[in-house]
Amino acid sequence: MLRGRGTAGRSQDCHSLARSASRETQNLLDGARSGSPGSAQPLREYALPLAEKRHLRDVQKANIKYLSRWHQWKQASRKSLRKLLQDTKELLSYLQLWRHAIHSIEGKFGTGIQSYFSFLRFLVILNFVIFLLVFSFITLPTALSKHGIVNGSHVEVPLKSADPLCTVYVVSGTKGLIYFYSYIIDLLTGTGFLEMTSLFYGDYTVDTIYFGLLKYQVPLAYLLTMMACLSLSFLWIVKRSVAGFKQSLVYNDDKFQSYCNKIFAGWDFCITDVNAARLKHSSLQYELKTDLEEERLRQKIAERTTKEKMRIYCLRIFLNCIVLGFLSVCFYSIYRATVYSQENISNDSKSRFEDNLLVQYLPSAVITMANFIATLFFSFLIKFEDYSPAFEIRLTLMRCVFVRLANIGVLLFSLWTQITSCANEKCIPCGYNYQLYPCWESRVGQEMYKLMIFDFLIIFAITVFIDFPRKLMVTHCSFKAFRWCGLQKFDIPDNVLEIVYGQTICWIGTFYCPLLPAIATIKYFLVFYIKKISLIHTCKPSTRPFRASSSNFFFLVVLLIGLILAFIPVGLSMTHIPSSKACGPFVNFNHSWDITQHTIHHVLQKVLVGISSDALAVSFFMIICLIMFYVIALAGAHKRVINQLREQLAMVSSNSVADIVRGIAFIGLLQPSSAWCPLAGYSAPSIPDH
């Protein structure tokens, strides 16, 4: 009885599936004969056998001549549009920048390192788009007006609104006898012949451009374009990071699930290289050891006495005080280096090449040295704070991020202290120190330009003069000290911090150096090949694991922090520091933001004033808090649902195991049988008789 019931059940299931497939096929045949819109869907979207799909295709082709011209045209247009979209998508995938190179890196070194190079490609595209915006709306119209191709007027400072001394702006080092190395200094520092080019703020002195009956106001376009570039960057980064944020917010750290994922689903099937596979093995082993170490530390923390907790907390407070002291030393060193550099920059072309270049690059060198020492210092200090391995990595990275971005902030603070401080009362009418900074915006742009150039030179020099000789010594020298040092590790977080630091400089400097995004595009384009050669020939991947899913979210979060930092100095310079009266498009306004009160319609002006009011800021903050509360509550609800689904899966798995056990218990009662399923196309194997 049991045997017959099982055989009949299997046959009934197969025949029901066959009947359902036949009904679906018959419906499609009826639709094809009637010419209904549903029959025009691609056949590959239906779960049907290949023979039936071919039969349906033949029926559709045979019935096309019986359709009306309207239906024939509609079907042909739909197929052509679908094919066009598919071909366009394939073509765009082939035209993607560095597609083959990134796939090759992914195959040799895994998805973690591939995510770094994909992130680098994203920055290249982002900077190129920003450059196109700036060039199209600011640089190109200004160049057309200056060369007389279109009619335009230049900005003029009313004598009543500014002191005549504030309007004097003479670029030194461009007249008389000029030594050949002066051009090298100008190229590396942005001074001399580069200072009065479209590269810097001071060259944009066009006020209005006339395109027939249309008036194009360059100052307003300058301000709105810079705001659009920062807003575009913000929206683009948020859009890319929202998926990783949802994943990190919903999924909890289930240790049992983490072990299962690492053991059963931790392998990266993109790896094809033997050395990379061996590295992946060690990486998984490192992850498991790290998880076990965290579990051991968690038990150790739970067993700590009050005396031990007080000792650990006091030690951490003491070490954090040391960190604050170290940061204070770094910030003060950057401040003094910036002040010394600004006060001793020589515009005399007869000064020594080495002295002038050293003074020009002194702040950049001090910042780079502080970033390098801070990374080593924090990595050494974190070992004594008794944190878990995963938290050690996160805390060290966040400290390094803070140091790198705060160093830029200290540099800008030092510059603005020099700009706004007056040694005598003569510069008070100008609102800034016009003697040292007749065009202070261009000077700030030069500092950002030097930071960008120096950062690229450091990346290139480390690869060529440190990593490559180290590779030769480790490979070809038998001395044990060289082999003990080993090859340089390609550490993903440190490399990400390098390019985020450079991108933050680009965002801050775009307002003062409009073509800086073009330089950043070229820089990151070259950095891609430098890092690729370094990874393949001179470095080895780090054994510390870094998954693509978590790394992409981390990269974008750090980049978002840098963008938020860039908003602050640019916004303060627009609204609080008086604009230069000798250069730039805002000489007629006390601040750059004041142009919105003179050029924008009064209705829109009231809207902007309302947006910048305190009442709206408080209301906006309250609304954001409510939205955050809703999102957090929704994420908590999703997390509870996920936990319930996990429990249900566990129950279903246990029930399946119980069913299998019961089936094995009754398997001796079953007789040989064969049930043929026409839909599946195979004969079920017979169970041997015992």
Side-chain angles (χ1 to χ4, degrees):
M1 181 67 67
L2 182 61
R3 181 177 64 249
R5 186 179 303 169
T7 304
R10 287 193 298 270
S11 301
Q12 185 177 2
D13 293 338
C14 292
H15 289 303
S16 62
L17 290 173
R19 284 195 301 271
S20 63
S22 301
R23 285 195 299 268
E24 185 176 3
T25 305
Q26 188 63 36
N27 293 333
L28 290 174
L29 287 173
D30 295 339
R33 294 189 181 97
S34 62
S36 62
S39 62
Q41 289 183 350
L43 292 176
R44 62 175 175 270
E45 296 182 3
Y46 295 99
L48 296 174
L50 187 60
E52 295 188 8
K53 289 184 179 181
R54 289 174 179 171
H55 179 58
L56 284 171
R57 185 187 60 186
D58 296 337
V59 171
Q60 288 178 354
K61 288 182 178 180
N63 290 330
I64 288 178
K65 59 183 179 180
Y66 299 107
L67 299 177
S68 62
R69 292 184 178 180
W70 166 250
H71 285 93
Q72 291 181 9
W73 178 84
K74 190 165 61 173
Q75 286 189 5
S77 301
R78 188 181 293 112
K79 290 181 180 179
S80 301
L81 180 60
R82 189 186 303 119
K83 188 175 185 303
L84 177 62
L85 293 177
Q86 184 178 0
D87 294 342
T88 304
K89 186 177 180 180
E90 292 180 359
L91 179 62
L92 291 177
S93 65
Y94 281 108
L95 295 177
Q96 193 176 21
L97 183 64
W98 297 319
R99 176 176 175 269
H100 177 72
I102 292 179
H103 284 178
S104 176
I105 292 172
E106 181 182 12
K108 291 182 178 179
F109 304 101
T111 56
I113 295 179
Q114 176 265 341
S115 63
Y116 164 76
F117 286 94
S118 298
F119 180 67
L120 195 57
R121 177 176 60 187
F122 165 69
L123 290 183
V124 171
I125 298 174
L126 176 64
N127 285 299
F128 183 71
V129 172
I130 294 175
F131 161 70
L132 289 180
L133 287 175
V134 174
F135 182 80
S136 301
F137 292 100
I138 302 175
T139 306
L140 183 60
T142 303
L144 293 177
S145 176
K146 285 190 173 183
H147 289 82
I149 300 176
V150 295
N151 295 326
S153 60
H154 291 263
V155 292
E156 295 180 358
V157 183
L159 297 178
K160 297 181 180 180
S161 62
D163 192 280
L165 295 176
C166 302
T167 61
V168 178
Y169 180 37
V170 179
V171 179
S172 303
T174 57
K175 297 181 180 180
L177 181 61
I178 301 176
Y179 291 94
F180 71 96
Y181 57 77
S182 298
Y183 293 104
I184 301 177
I185 294 178
D186 295 342
L187 189 63
L188 293 176
T189 60
T191 56
F193 73 94
L194 281 180
E195 190 169 350
M196 288 306 296
T197 60
S198 299
L199 184 62
F200 292 105
Y201 170 93
D203 187 61
Y204 295 88
T205 56
V206 177
D207 184 24
T208 306
I209 300 175
Y210 300 95
F211 295 99
L213 299 177
L214 298 177
K215 293 173 60 177
Y216 186 80
Q217 297 183 349
V218 176
L220 182 61
Y222 194 100
L223 182 67
L224 295 180
T225 302
M226 296 304 168
M227 295 175 61
C229 292
L230 295 177
S231 302
L232 174 66
S233 302
F234 179 78
L235 295 176
W236 203 340
I237 294 171
V238 170
K239 181 180 180 298
R240 288 176 64 94
S241 61
V242 67
F245 176 73
K246 288 180 180 179
Q247 184 177 2
S248 63
L249 192 63
V250 171
Y251 291 98
N252 57 355
D253 294 330
D254 189 356
K255 294 302 176 185
F256 179 75
Q257 183 185 6
S258 176
Y259 293 139
C260 293
N261 289 337
K262 289 181 176 64
I263 294 173
F264 296 107
W267 184 253
D268 191 350
F269 288 94
C270 295
I271 297 176
T272 58
D273 187 70
V274 177
N275 295 326
R278 190 179 297 111
L279 180 68
K280 185 63 178 179
H281 279 290
S282 62
S283 177
L284 289 174
Q285 185 180 8
Y286 175 84
E287 289 187 45
L288 292 173
K289 288 182 178 179
T290 302
D291 291 339
L292 294 174
E293 181 68 17
E294 289 182 357
E295 191 68 26
R296 186 188 65 81
L297 288 175
R298 194 176 294 108
Q299 294 179 359
K300 181 181 177 182
I301 291 173
E303 296 173 356
R304 280 177 183 169
T305 62
T306 305
K307 183 178 179 180
E308 291 177 346
K309 291 180 180 180
M310 292 298 297
R311 183 184 64 82
I312 291 294
Y313 292 151
C314 292
L315 178 61
R316 290 175 181 175
I317 292 173
F318 174 72
L319 293 177
N320 280 282
C321 291
I322 295 178
V323 170
L324 292 177
F326 176 79
L327 294 177
S328 301
V329 172
C330 292
F331 296 159
Y332 182 74
S333 301
I334 295 171
Y335 175 78
R336 294 306 308 170
T338 305
V339 172
Y340 178 82
S341 175
Q342 296 299 311
E343 292 179 350
N344 294 275
I345 288 178
S346 176
N347 293 320
D348 186 9
S349 61
K350 297 182 180 180
S351 60
R352 291 184 59 190
F353 172 78
E354 299 85 355
D355 296 341
N356 198 1
L357 191 62
L358 181 61
V359 172
Q360 292 268 12
Y361 271 93
L362 184 60
S364 302
V366 173
I367 289 176
T368 303
M369 186 63 66
N371 294 336
F372 176 74
I373 296 176
T375 303
L376 299 178
F377 181 73
F378 293 152
S379 300
F380 171 76
L381 207 63
I382 197 69
K383 299 177 181 178
F384 302 97
E385 297 187 67
D386 199 11
Y387 290 115
S388 63
F391 188 76
E392 283 184 2
I393 296 174
R394 289 195 292 267
L395 182 60
T396 304
L397 290 177
M398 293 310 298
R399 284 175 175 174
C400 293
V401 169
F402 175 77
V403 169
R404 288 177 179 268
L405 300 183
N407 287 340
I408 302 175
V410 172
L411 173 66
L412 295 174
F413 173 78
S414 306
L415 287 174
W416 287 333
T417 302
Q418 294 291 106
I419 291 170
T420 56
S421 63
C422 295
N424 49 40
E425 297 182 356
K426 293 182 179 180
C427 65
I428 293 179
C430 301
Y432 59 93
N433 191 347
Y434 73 91
Q435 294 177 343
L436 285 178
Y437 306 97
C439 183
W440 65 266
E441 291 92 348
S442 292
R443 182 64 68 86
V444 175
Q446 289 170 359
E447 292 298 326
M448 298 296 106
Y449 174 83
K450 286 185 286 187
L451 284 175
M452 182 73 70
I453 298 297
F454 191 75
D455 184 54
F456 173 74
L457 294 177
I458 289 296
I459 294 174
F460 178 78
I462 289 176
T463 303
V464 175
F465 300 110
I466 296 179
D467 293 343
F468 184 69
R470 183 175 178 176
K471 165 75 172 182
L472 294 178
M473 288 187 294
V474 171
T475 306
H476 300 287
C477 294
S478 59
F479 193 52
K480 292 184 178 180
F482 293 149
R483 296 187 178 276
W484 178 78
C485 292
L487 297 177
Q488 175 67 29
K489 293 182 179 180
F490 192 88
D491 200 2
I492 298 176
D494 293 341
N495 285 279
V496 169
L497 292 181
E498 285 182 356
I499 59 177
V500 169
Y501 166 76
Q503 185 60 37
T504 306
I505 294 172
C506 177
W507 278 323
I508 296 175
T510 302
F511 185 81
Y512 314 102
C513 182
L515 296 184
L516 196 61
I519 299 174
T521 303
I522 299 173
K523 171 193 169 183
Y524 290 134
F525 188 86
L526 297 176
V527 166
F528 180 90
Y529 290 101
I530 293 174
K531 292 296 182 180
K532 179 185 175 183
I533 295 173
S534 175
L535 173 65
I536 296 175
H537 298 287
T538 65
C539 294
K540 64 178 181 180
S542 176
T543 55
R544 187 169 61 185
F546 223 74
R547 288 186 177 273
S549 57
S550 59
S551 58
N552 284 327
F553 179 62
F554 167 74
F555 298 163
L556 295 171
V557 167
V558 175
L559 191 64
L560 191 61
I561 294 173
L563 179 59
I564 294 173
L565 176 66
F567 272 106
I568 298 174
V570 174
L572 291 177
S573 65
M574 288 181 181
T575 56
H576 289 78
I577 301 180
S579 57
S580 298
K581 305 303 178 185
C583 66
F586 303 106
V587 296
N588 292 325
F589 305 98
N590 190 26
H591 301 94
S592 303
W593 186 256
D594 293 343
I595 190 175
T596 59
Q597 302 178 5
H598 296 81
T599 56
I600 298 179
H601 192 267
H602 65 279
V603 177
L604 184 58
Q605 180 181 343
K606 291 181 179 180
V607 173
L608 292 176
V609 172
I611 291 175
S612 60
S613 63
D614 297 336
L616 185 64
V618 174
S619 303
F620 180 75
F621 178 75
M622 294 179 64
I623 293 173
I624 290 296
C625 290
L626 292 175
I627 294 175
M628 289 179 62
F629 176 77
Y630 170 75
V631 170
I632 292 173
L634 187 63
H638 290 168
K639 187 180 294 185
R640 287 192 295 270
V641 171
I642 289 173
N643 292 331
Q644 292 176 1
L645 292 175
R646 287 174 180 168
E647 294 176 358
Q648 292 178 6
L649 286 174
M651 293 176 62
V652 169
S653 300
S654 61
N655 292 334
S656 300
V657 172
D659 293 338
I660 292 173
V661 172
R662 286 194 295 267
I664 293 174
F666 290 106
I667 196 171
L669 301 177
L670 299 178
Q671 296 295 329
S673 61
S674 178
W676 180 74
C677 182
L679 182 63
Y682 72 96
S683 179
S686 300
I687 301 176
D689 193 7
H690 294 283

